[in-house]
């Protein structure tokens, strides 16, 4: 049984930083895609950062480039999202997501790539 558990959300002022963590159980990093997907109030869900567990290739949506960094720790089966210079528009529920099968790096920012989801952690920027 695959489980993704997020942690690290909270309330932060604009310009502040947070680190989100995602611990995966029952899941092996093996050429899969893992990502952070967010959904803000009244907004569509979007993949903001993702990583290909094969070679570590990373991709970011334009609005977070230069501010967010996704990383992984294979030994801990975990993925992290360092969020710096947070803005009010980053206010959202953040979900850790993974593909159950091997994926193509070109699919990293495609929301349909992901079929395993955590329950989410709230990030409030105010």
């Amino acid at each position: 049984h695959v489980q993704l558990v997020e942690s690290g959300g909270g309330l932060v002022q604009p310009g502040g930083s947070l680190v989100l963590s995602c611990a995966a159980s029952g899941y092996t990093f093996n050429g899969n895609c893992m990502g952070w997907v967010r959904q803000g109030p009244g907004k569509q869900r979007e993949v903001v950062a993702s990583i290909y567990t094969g070679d570590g290739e990373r991709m970011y949506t334009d609005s977070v480039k230069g501010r967010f960094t996704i990383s992984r720790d294979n030994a801990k089966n975990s993925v992290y999202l360092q969020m710096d210079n947070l803005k009010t528009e980053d206010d959202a529920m953040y979900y850790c997501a993974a593909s159950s099968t091997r994926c193509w790096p070109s699919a990293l920012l495609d929301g349909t790539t992901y079929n395993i989801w955590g329950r989410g952690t709230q990030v409030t920027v105010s």
Side-chain angles (χ1 to χ4, degrees):
H1 176 65
V2 180
Q3 191 173 16
L4 303 177
V5 179
E6 304 97 334
S7 62
L11 173 64
V12 63
Q13 292 183 341
S17 298
L18 280 175
V19 178
L20 304 184
S21 300
C22 173
S25 58
Y27 186 78
T28 301
F29 290 2
N30 184 24
N32 308 79
C33 289
M34 292 198 72
W36 288 95
V37 182
R38 70 183 180 189
Q39 186 164 22
K43 298 181 181 179
Q44 290 190 332
R45 192 172 285 192
E46 66 170 337
V47 182
V48 296
S50 50
I51 188 165
Y52 176 57
T53 64
D55 62 5
E57 180 176 349
R58 309 172 192 186
M59 293 190 73
Y60 302 90
T61 194
D62 287 346
S63 63
V64 307
K65 285 179 181 176
R67 300 189 298 120
F68 290 11
T69 303
I70 189 170
S71 61
R72 61 175 176 167
D73 185 332
N74 288 353
K76 295 183 177 180
N77 242 29
S78 294
V79 175
Y80 307 95
L81 185 67
Q82 171 75 44
M83 304 186 295
D84 297 318
N85 190 20
L86 282 160
K87 303 178 180 181
T88 54
E89 51 262 44
D90 297 318
D91 195 304
M93 181 72 79
Y94 283 73
Y95 300 89
C96 180
S99 64
S100 60
T101 60
R102 295 178 66 88
C103 69
W104 294 103
S106 59
L108 281 168
L109 289 182
D110 182 349
T112 63
T113 296
Y114 303 96
N115 58 347
I116 302 171
W117 296 84
R119 300 185 70 173
T121 185
Q122 179 68 42
V123 172
T124 302
V125 185
S126 177

